[in-house]
């Protein structure tokens, strides 16, 4: 545990990340990681376009025998909306299936945005609605677990559906993700554990859940790490890392071309995600996700450090709105605001307090590194 406060001299990451380290210039490990590692696979330039052209040609070639070449996720947020637009305009021959998960928390705006996007771009949409009673039970279990990452039930459901629909049903080989270094190159591991760990998800539900999960899909370690990538040869590609992706410019384009409407902040297309990121994390854990997002924008050259510091002057949530948001969340989860407040006051836990596949995952990634080194000999 660090006892003194320090903030990076280049970005705005600080000692609220318990694992942060600084060099003699006061630059943090995240900034150094971006410069030394991430830059090698980040091409926001003409070289990126050349690479993306080749990747897309390969995707189309591999998709010949199926109904679709690739799948994308549509949350209604900027990144995924812009990705859909960019792929449609740059690669009109690409046959895209969009998947959307309705976990019960979509804002009306998100629904509006998704409907407009698929209509304007003529993209087929598969929407999967998660059984609300099961989702609610799982989300309450997560709140009671006192873990930082409360988006696990929604995120896990997205990937489980992606595998089921895209790979098992349509035989699609490529997932084109809106994930990108321009806005997400920095995110401390300590701020949120892997949503894909089905062992942990089921252990938490077993301990705190009250009903059986009959239809909620999970993806276990073997299927996720071996079956889908090696047997089904399913790959994830992040096209926006091969693109001069600028968030503000992207927003301007989707507003103009897709009639997209703004939510205000990142990932606030889901009411629950908004509560979790702007209230649960900063109030309970001291983690302000804006800090990681703004730092990513600084290292991407899309914002100055001073601009980021100005944003952070404001609190992460709107004090005038938080009570009504809490009422909404509590009501939807069938608990009282007092119960929600009582949950907030319980001691925080980390993923190490519950069973997980963390050790297995570490061993597997060391094995993969070993094999790739051995192959390079
Ligand atoms: Zn930094």
């Amino acid at each position: 545990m660090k006892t003194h406060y320090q903030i990076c001299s280049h970005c705005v990451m600080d000692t609220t990340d318990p694992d942060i380290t600084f060099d003699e210039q006061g630059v943090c490990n995240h900034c150094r990681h971006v410069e030394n590692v991430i830059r090698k696979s980040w091409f926001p330039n003409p070289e990126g376009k050349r690479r993306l052209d080749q990747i897309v040609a390969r995707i189309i070639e591999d998709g010949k025998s199926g109904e679709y070449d690739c799948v994308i996720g549509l949350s209604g947020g900027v990144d995924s909306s812009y990705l859909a637009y960019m792929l449609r305009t740059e690669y009109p021959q690409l046959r895209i299936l969009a998947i959307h998960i309705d976990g019960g928390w979509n804002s009306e705006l998100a629904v509006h945005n998704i409907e407009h996007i698929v209509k304007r771009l003529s993209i087929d949409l598969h929407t999967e609605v998660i059984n609300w009673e099961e989702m609610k039970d799982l989300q309450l279990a997560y709140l009671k677990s006192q873990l930082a990452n409360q988006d696990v039930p929604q995120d896990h459901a997205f990937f489980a559906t992606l595998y089921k629909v895209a790979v098992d049903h349509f035989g699609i080989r490529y997932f084109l993700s809106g994930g990108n270094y321009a806005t997400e190159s920095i995110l401390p591991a300590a701020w949120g554990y892997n949503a894909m760990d089905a062992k942990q998800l089921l252990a938490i539900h077993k301990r705190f859940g009250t009903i059986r999960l009959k239809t909620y899909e999970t993806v276990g370690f073997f299927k996720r790490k071996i079956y889908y990538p090696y047997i089904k040869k399913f790959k994830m590609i992040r096209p926006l890392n091969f693109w001069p992706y600028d968030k503000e410019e992207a927003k301007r384009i989707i507003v103009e071309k897709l009639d997209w409407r703004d939510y205000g902040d990142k990932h606030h297309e889901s009411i629950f995600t908004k509560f979790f990121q702007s209230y649960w994390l900063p109030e309970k854990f001291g983690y302000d996700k804006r800090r990681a997002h703004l730092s990513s924008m600084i290292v991407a050259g899309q914002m100055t450090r001073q601009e980021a510091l100005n944003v952070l002057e404001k609190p992460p949530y709107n004090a005038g709105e938080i009570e009504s948001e809490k009422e909404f969340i509590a009501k939807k989860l069938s608990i009282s605001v007092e119960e929600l407040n009582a949950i907030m006051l319980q001691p925080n836990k980390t993923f190490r307090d519950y069973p997980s596949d963390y050790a297995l995952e570490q061993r597997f990634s060391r094995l993969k590194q070993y094999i790739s080194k051995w192959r390079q000999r």
Side-chain angles (χ1 to χ4, degrees):
M1 203 69 181
K2 292 191 172 58
T3 48
H4 73 288
Y5 180 81
Q6 191 172 350
I7 182 165
C8 175
S9 58
H10 182 244
C11 72
V12 290
M13 289 307 295
D14 64 5
T15 34
T16 57
D17 169 13
D19 304 325
I20 200 166
T21 55
F22 300 94
D23 64 16
E24 47 297 344
Q25 277 93 44
V27 177
C28 78
N29 58 307
H30 300 292
C31 284
R32 293 300 178 204
H33 181 73
V34 172
E35 286 315 308
N36 300 331
V37 181
I38 288 180
R39 292 272 179 214
K40 288 180 187 153
S41 50
W42 183 8
F43 304 94
N45 47 38
E47 165 68 13
K49 176 75 169 80
R50 276 194 293 280
R51 286 177 184 242
L52 190 57
D53 286 349
Q54 285 173 3
I55 292 168
V56 171
R58 176 77 195 267
I59 291 172
I60 291 172
E61 177 66 24
D62 286 348
K64 270 197 304 208
S65 59
E67 194 176 340
Y68 297 102
D69 300 315
C70 63
V71 60
I72 60 171
L74 264 191
S75 65
V78 179
D79 300 342
S80 67
S81 305
Y82 178 77
L83 175 69
Y85 171 79
M86 183 275 257
L87 291 173
R88 193 30 108 223
T89 44
E90 291 294 318
Y91 304 103
Q93 70 279 39
L94 201 58
R95 295 169 306 158
I96 302 167
L97 173 69
I99 289 187
H100 173 69
I101 299 299
D102 181 352
W105 296 99
N106 280 341
S107 62
E108 272 175 41
L109 253 188
V111 176
H112 161 96
N113 282 335
I114 291 164
E115 281 172 359
H116 269 75
I117 291 162
V118 294
K119 208 162 134 197
R120 294 249 175 136
L121 299 175
S122 313
I123 290 177
D124 290 350
L125 175 69
H126 176 97
T127 297
E128 187 96 353
V129 181
I130 309 293
N131 176 299
W132 176 245
E133 288 308 310
E134 293 184 20
M135 189 68 177
K136 184 165 84 176
D137 198 54
L138 188 55
Q139 289 206 281
L140 272 172
Y142 259 83
L143 287 171
K144 288 175 186 163
S145 78
Q146 306 297 333
L147 287 172
N149 190 357
Q150 292 292 319
D151 255 352
V152 171
Q154 294 194 86
D155 288 349
H156 195 96
F158 171 74
F159 280 98
T161 306
L162 180 76
Y163 288 124
K164 186 185 77 175
V165 174
V167 189
D168 298 343
H169 186 74
F170 286 105
I172 296 171
R173 295 257 315 270
Y174 294 91
F175 167 44
L176 305 191
S177 160
N180 63 85
Y181 292 138
T183 63
E184 311 172 317
S185 63
I186 293 177
L187 185 61
W191 286 9
Y193 180 61
N194 182 9
M196 293 314 298
D197 191 328
K199 185 173 176 180
Q200 179 136 97
L201 182 140
L202 292 170
I204 284 169
H205 186 258
K206 190 173 173 200
R207 175 126 169 231
F208 300 104
T210 57
I211 63 169
R212 214 158 67 82
L213 297 181
K214 286 187 204 150
T215 58
Y216 183 92
E217 299 272 344
T218 58
V219 191
F221 185 87
F222 171 78
K223 279 198 125 178
R224 179 166 58 88
K225 288 291 189 180
I226 295 167
Y227 177 73
Y228 287 117
Y230 295 103
I231 298 172
K232 303 307 272 185
K233 302 200 178 340
F234 187 62
K235 285 190 187 68
M236 178 172 77
I237 312 251
R238 293 192 166 104
L240 297 180
N241 290 341
F242 299 90
W243 199 253
Y245 182 55
D246 180 299
K247 185 108 178 185
E248 285 308 310
E249 174 70 2
K251 224 186 240 186
R252 197 189 57 72
I253 290 172
I254 58 176
V255 166
E256 188 192 319
K257 306 283 185 187
L258 305 178
D259 188 24
W260 183 89
R261 294 192 207 150
D262 203 348
Y263 307 96
D265 279 303
K266 192 172 164 65
H267 291 318
H268 291 180
E269 55 270 17
S270 154
I271 298 154
F272 185 81
T273 303
K274 179 181 183 188
F275 165 79
F276 149 65
Q277 291 195 352
S278 65
Y279 189 72
W280 173 275
L281 275 185
E283 281 291 301
K284 193 166 159 55
F285 292 82
Y287 304 156
D288 187 344
K289 269 208 166 175
R290 296 178 306 168
R291 201 173 275 287
H293 176 57
L294 293 165
S295 293
S296 302
M297 304 276 278
I298 294 169
V299 298
Q302 296 188 19
M303 184 178 257
T304 66
R305 187 170 180 274
Q306 190 53 51
E307 283 166 340
L309 289 170
N310 294 345
V311 173
L312 290 169
E313 290 274 302
K314 286 176 249 153
Y317 61 89
N318 182 329
E321 287 172 8
I322 191 63
E323 288 311 317
S324 66
E325 274 172 27
K326 272 162 64 173
E327 257 171 51
F328 180 88
I329 303 267
K331 193 172 171 209
K332 198 155 163 68
L333 291 173
S334 308
I335 56 172
S336 64
V337 173
E338 291 71 35
E339 282 172 280
L340 182 59
N341 286 335
I343 290 173
M344 291 277 306
L345 291 174
Q346 294 288 314
N348 296 340
K349 294 274 172 65
T350 81
F351 77 93
R352 292 180 197 279
D353 292 313
Y354 301 102
S356 78
D357 275 330
Y358 182 74
L360 183 63
E361 187 116 16
Q362 295 294 101
R363 282 202 297 277
F364 186 76
S365 102
R366 278 198 298 274
L367 176 72
K368 262 173 69 178
Q369 277 172 9
Y370 179 78
I371 292 172
S372 94
K373 267 188 199 153
W374 182 75
R375 275 182 161 171
Q376 280 164 13
R377 274 187 195 166

